[in-house]
Amino acid sequence: MAERQERDLPSLEDEIFAVAHNVEVEQGAGAQARPDWAQVAAERGRAFLGRDVGALVAGFGIFLLVDAVMMYGPLMTSSRPSLLPQFITLIMLAFGLGGLLVWKVGGRWRTFGHGMMLAWVFLTLVSVGFLTGVTVPL
């Protein structure tokens, strides 16, 4: 009777090959891992470009608008007054508010502050300081 019970039970070999026979293997499982990684990297890149670069451009644009409004009057008059008030206001806006956004607020506002500071530097270099009040009026 002991032999009969041993014959009814599957052997270890039968169990191993039965499990291996029932396992389904996905086609191209190794090839699918790389597109997942590449897709995640591409989504992160798109999120960075959409969110962070957009905030940088917005900060740059807002500073350009504020600079154009503040410097239009003094630069269009025939007798040029002192540009010291505009210089102080613009540098405090760019590096005071922009620096506050970068170091204390963070998040998307960090790149907005970087955009403001970059706009001040860009306008100063391009206009040799006329648009930011750095130079003495002629």
Side-chain angles (χ1 to χ4, degrees), residues 124-137:
T124 302
L125 292 176
V126 168
S127 69
V128 195
F130 283 117
L131 293 178
T132 53
V134 174
T135 60
V136 178

Side-chain angles (χ1 to χ4, degrees), residues 51-104:
R51 180 175 31 117
D52 293 338
V53 173
L56 184 84
V57 170
F60 197 93
I62 292 294
F63 187 82
L64 286 177
L65 178 68
V66 170
D67 185 77
V69 169
M70 287 188 70
M71 297 305 285
Y72 180 76
L75 292 178
M76 291 300 140
T77 59
S78 59
S79 61
R80 301 231 169 111
S82 172
L83 295 178
L84 186 63
Q86 284 84 1
F87 168 71
I88 292 172
T89 304
L90 288 172
I91 202 160
M92 288 303 295
L93 178 70
F95 292 99
L97 180 61
L100 178 75
L101 292 174
V102 168
W103 286 295
K104 294 294 181 184

Side-chain angles (χ1 to χ4, degrees), residues 17-41:
F17 288 117
V19 171
H21 180 68
N22 294 333
V23 173
E24 296 179 12
V25 178
E26 295 180 20
Q27 298 293 335
Q32 195 176 32
R34 288 186 182 167
D36 288 340
W37 178 82
Q39 185 177 9
V40 168

